């Protein structure tokens, strides 16, 4: 029985449990619902949960444990020369799995038949490989008899496992069903028990998000350690030259990349924060509802444009414009791609981000504070400056920080607008590049996961993670210190 | 008691501070206030009473043009402060509000320190040239608002950390720090407990020495306790306006009598 079929069956059982438990609760109440601890619907839900929860738990455990058991049994039967070391064993097991899956397909297609003893027979003439190819399963080399035997055993064990799995899951579900029906008494606190399950479900959702983050950090951490075992950490953190090559004498100093990242982010924030904040103040405090209704969605349209389109804008419009009208007349170089280009375009990208978030935050400041200020004879801008912005500060800092993280993490606009040359320079009209662009650069194309030139991407990623984390902590501190809390 | 009667008599001789004639207020299509005439005297507490939605708060907000902040609101008629029409296009509502201060129903201290709350008005109006002058204004205002003794040791702590009654007195201190000529109070005690209410009421009586005070209240006892003049509003009309004692003991209009005795409201 397939997992899908099993799930469907459990769903049917759950619906049945819902109906039965609800009906039983109603019958026990004798027409007076007040006798029951909870509403009849809760008894129904309690029944459905009692079916689904044990069934799903057994299924989950089985799905995790069964492959492990089968693998260890099969690999024990494989000849010793195929399981000499861990990587050979993994390779052989991969072959077995692929062949087993291929056989399933081929038997379904009819190009392989199964005789009474369960041994696969080739329906036509030719080798097993040709028979499988006929069914659309491509194998790299012909099938060795040991692998074929192992694959056959694998299929057999899997089929037995699936049958037992179905039995165990259904047994658990039915046991839950029976228990739920027996438990359905007027005194059963069905509502509280259902509430508990809901709480658990919500908690699981938040846990998954946290565990994923931990997983990402963990996976980067191990590769970062690999990198630092091959390349000295001091050279990475304090090296002023970035010139990777695959001859083995790369210089992987990350200072030029850090400088490029910070320089571009700084320019983008200089563009985005004032414009975004002023736009938000205009929308929240000055604009009439009609104007607001038009302008706010229009600004937010910018947020929907893919960054690669912004990259094009940087490449064909902003870059040449800055070069022809600023860089060349001022004698600051003749590069079309520059820190300035990328910074300005990322800034534009972040304007709606800041304005939209800040607008919501400013609107959340109580009207009573505005009235208090106006009532003392303050003008609008005095009120905004001295009362509303201080009250909204924590939220505004949060919005700015979110925009800063986006600017630091932006890749596409940088690679199209600022180029890919890692340089340490003060001139904003020079081409420079960022850590994210180099992460992409080092991981695309032919990569060798044993060379520091590739693994440096993980070290860069980890450093980026630490920088943004530090930024977050700093912002939290600033907000705690300077916030003016209303209410 | 004797003293009270002397006060009541001197009211009649006082000059008019604010004079409203034929004031109409519309909120969009709603006619909120119909043809209101009121004279508010100097150094007098004037109470506006009436059932909810009768227009008393609306009228109060006309006196310092706070209704300007509501886009759908339209005010007709004339309101003069010391003979000058406050709805004249040449009058700046921002300057006007410095002369006619306001205290709101719910205490709304700014999320700043107690000192900065009181110093806010004087700072934006440039009333103090030096830090010492500003300190002086803050202290005087807090003293007048009867908050100095409780707040003098914690001027740097946030105003939002005070109790409800203290917050309202802080708002009063904040309003009188700009040295207004008139103080408008929109149900200043409705969010306070009886002890805080008594403190604020006592304060209002003392403030009368320096300002004209106009107070909107739902509590008729409060109006009787603190005011010398009372105006009764009903359904957007000013029904009766006169000496507080006279309005409460011998009302001229049957509607006033009905409200005071609790038959409408």
């Amino acid at each position: 029985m397939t997992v899908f079929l099993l799930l469907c069956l459990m769903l049917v059982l759950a619906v049945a449990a819902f109906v039965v438990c609800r009906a039983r609760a109603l019958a026990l109440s004798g027409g007076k619902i007040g006798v029951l601890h909870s509403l009849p619907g809760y008894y129904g839900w309690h029944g459905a949960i009692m079916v689904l929860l044990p069934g799903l738990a057994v299924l989950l455990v089985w799905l995790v444990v069964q492959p492990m058991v089968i693998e260890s049994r099969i690999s024990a039967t494989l000849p010793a020369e195929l399981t000499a070391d861990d990587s050979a064993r993994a390779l052989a097991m991969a072959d077995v799995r692929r062949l087993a899956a291929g056989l399933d397909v081929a038997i379904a297609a009819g190009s392989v038949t199964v005789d009474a003893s369960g041994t696969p027979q080739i329906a036509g003439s030719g080798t097993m490989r040709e028979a499988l190819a006929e069914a659309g399963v491509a194998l790299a080399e012909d099938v060795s008899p040991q692998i074929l035997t192992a694959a056959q055993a694998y299929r057999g064990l899997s089929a037995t496992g699936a049958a037992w799995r179905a039995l165990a899951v259904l047994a658990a579900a039915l046991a839950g069903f029976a228990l739920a029906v027996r438990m359905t008494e007027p005194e059963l606190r069905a509502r509280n028990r259902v509430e508990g399950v809901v709480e658990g479900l919500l908690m699981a959702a938040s846990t998954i998000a946290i565990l994923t983050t931990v997983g990402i950090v963990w996976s980067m951490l191990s590769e970062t350690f690999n990198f630092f075992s091959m390349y000295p950490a001091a050279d990475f953190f304090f090296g002023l030259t970035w010139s990777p090559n695959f001859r083995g004498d790369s210089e992987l100093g990350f200072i030029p990349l850090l400088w490029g990242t910070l320089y571009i982010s700084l320019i983008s924030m200089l563009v985005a924060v004032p414009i975004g904040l002023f736009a938000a103040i205009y929308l929240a405090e000055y604009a009439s509802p009609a104007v607001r209704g038009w302008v706010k969605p229009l600004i937010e349209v910018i947020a929907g444009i893919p960054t690669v389109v912004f990259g094009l804008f940087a490449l064909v419009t902003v870059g040449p414009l800055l070069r022809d009208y600023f860089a060349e007349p001022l004698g600051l170089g003749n590069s079309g791609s520059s820190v300035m280009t990328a910074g300005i375009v990322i800034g534009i990208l972040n304007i709606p981000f800041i304005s939209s978030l800040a607008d919501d935050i400013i609107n959340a400041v109580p009207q009573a504070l505005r009235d208090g200020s106006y009532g003392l004879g303050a003008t609008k801008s005095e009120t905004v400056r001295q009362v509303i912005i201080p009250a909204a500060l924590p939220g505004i800092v949060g919005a700015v920080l979110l925009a800063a993280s986006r600017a630091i993490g932006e890749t596409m606009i940088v690679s199209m607008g600022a180029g890919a040359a890692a340089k340490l320079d003060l001139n904003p009209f020079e081409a420079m590049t960022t850590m994210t662009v180099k992460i992409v650069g080092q991981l695309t194309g032919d990569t060798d996961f044993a060379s520091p030139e590739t693994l440096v991407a993980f070290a860069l990623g980890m450093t980026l993670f630490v920088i943004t984390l530090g930024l977050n902590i700093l912002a939290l501190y600033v907000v705690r210190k300077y916030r003016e809390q209303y209410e | 008691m004797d003293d009270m009667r002397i006060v009541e008599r001197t009211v009649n001789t006082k000059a008019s501070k604010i004079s409203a004639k034929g004031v109409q207020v519309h909120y969009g299509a709603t006619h909120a206030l119909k043809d209101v005439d009121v004279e508010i005297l100097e150094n007098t507490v004037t109470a506006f009473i009436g059932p909810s939605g009768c227009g008393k708060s609306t009228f109060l907000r006309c006196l310092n043009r706070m209704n300007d902040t509501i886009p759908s609101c339209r005010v007709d008629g004339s309101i003069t402060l010391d003979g000058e029409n406050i709805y004249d296009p040449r009058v700046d509502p921002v300057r006007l509000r410095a002369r006619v201060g306001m205290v709101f129903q719910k205490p709304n201290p700014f999320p700043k320190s107690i000192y900065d709350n009181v110093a806010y008005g004087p700072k934006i109006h440039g009333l103090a040239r030096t830090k010492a002058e500003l300190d002086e204004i803050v202290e005087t205002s807090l003293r007048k608002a009867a908050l100095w003794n409780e707040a003098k040791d914690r001027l740097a702590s946030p105003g939002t950390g005070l109790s409800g009654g203290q917050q309202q007195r802080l708002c009063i201190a904040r309003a009188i720090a700009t040295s207004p000529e008139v103080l408008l109070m929109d149900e200043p005690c409705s969010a306070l407990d009886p002890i805080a209410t008594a403190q604020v009421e006592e304060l209002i009586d003392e403030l009368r020495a320096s300002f004209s005070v106009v107070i909107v209240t739902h509590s008729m006892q409060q109006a009787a306790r603190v005011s010398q003049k009372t105006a009764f509003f009903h359904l957007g009309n000013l029904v009766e306006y006169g000496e507080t004692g006279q309005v409460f003991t011998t009302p001229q209009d049957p509607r006033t009598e009905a409200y005071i005795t609790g038959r409408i409201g």
Side-chain angles (χ1 to χ4, degrees), chain B residues 39-118:
Chain B
E39 296 279 330
I40 287 161
L41 306 179
E42 274 184 343
N43 300 97
T44 306
V45 178
T46 308
F48 291 172
I49 58 170
S52 295
C54 67
K56 54 194 190 306
S57 285
T58 299
F59 183 63
L60 189 78
R61 291 168 68 92
C62 287
L63 300 180
N64 69 344
R65 293 186 60 176
M66 276 301 273
N67 283 332
D68 289 16
T69 58
I70 302 164
S72 64
C73 180
R74 205 179 79 235
V75 180
D76 303 306
S78 97
I79 301 175
T80 59
L81 173 67
D82 288 339
E84 186 190 5
N85 186 359
I86 64 169
Y87 280 90
D88 190 285
R90 279 171 305 180
V91 171
D92 179 4
V94 168
R95 293 282 304 280
L96 172 72
R97 288 182 203 136
R99 294 173 66 193
V100 183
M102 190 158 193
V103 175
F104 296 85
Q105 182 172 358
K106 212 177 127 204
N108 58 348
F110 300 133
K112 301 173 181 298
S113 70
I114 294 173
Y115 183 94
D116 286 338
N117 260 286
V118 183

Side-chain angles (χ1 to χ4, degrees), chain B residues 68-247:
Chain B
D68 289 16
T69 58
I70 302 164
S72 64
C73 180
R74 205 179 79 235
V75 180
D76 303 306
S78 97
I79 301 175
T80 59
L81 173 67
D82 288 339
E84 186 190 5
N85 186 359
I86 64 169
Y87 280 90
D88 190 285
R90 279 171 305 180
V91 171
D92 179 4
V94 168
R95 293 282 304 280
L96 172 72
R97 288 182 203 136
R99 294 173 66 193
V100 183
M102 190 158 193
V103 175
F104 296 85
Q105 182 172 358
K106 212 177 127 204
N108 58 348
F110 300 133
K112 301 173 181 298
S113 70
I114 294 173
Y115 183 94
D116 286 338
N117 260 286
V118 183
Y120 182 82
K123 267 189 196 158
I124 58 175
H125 295 299
L127 299 183
R129 278 190 307 273
T130 61
K131 177 84 170 73
E133 278 182 36
L134 193 60
D135 289 348
E136 174 73 30
I137 292 175
V138 170
E139 180 175 342
T140 328
S141 307
L142 284 172
R143 275 190 198 284
K144 274 191 195 156
L147 193 61
W148 176 250
N149 288 334
E150 291 151 78
K152 64 171 183 257
D153 298 325
R154 45 190 291 206
L155 289 177
S157 55
T160 41
L162 296 170
S163 74
Q166 289 173 326
Q167 285 190 10
Q168 194 61 301
R169 278 179 284 150
L170 177 63
C171 292
I172 294 172
R174 187 176 72 183
I176 57 189
T178 55
S179 0
E181 297 156 34
V182 181
L183 199 56
L184 309 178
M185 299 180 141
D186 191 355
E187 298 177 39
C189 301
S190 64
L192 304 182
D193 66 34
I195 295 167
T197 301
Q199 287 168 332
V200 172
E201 282 179 5
E202 201 178 314
L203 180 59
I204 291 169
D205 199 52
E206 285 164 19
L207 293 176
R208 185 159 61 95
S210 341
F211 317 102
S212 287
V213 179
V214 184
I215 176 171
V216 164
T217 179
H218 268 130
S219 151
M220 281 173 286
Q221 288 86 344
Q222 186 172 62
R225 282 194 299 264
V226 301
S227 70
Q228 288 80 52
K229 301 275 273 180
T230 295
F232 171 61
F233 287 80
H234 186 240
L235 299 175
N237 296 301
L238 176 65
V239 174
E240 187 158 355
Y241 178 54
E243 303 273 327
T244 298
Q246 176 253 312
V247 169

Side-chain angles (χ1 to χ4, degrees), chain A residues 22 73-74 86 92 98 122 134 164 184 200 241 281 287 299 345 359 409 457 463 474:
Chain A
R22 188 171 177 278
R73 280 225 214 149
I74 297 288
D86 276 351
R98 206 175 309 127
I122 300 152
E134 202 178 306
W164 280 107
T184 303
T241 319
I281 291 169
I299 292 181
V345 175
D359 175 50
T463 317
L474 182 77

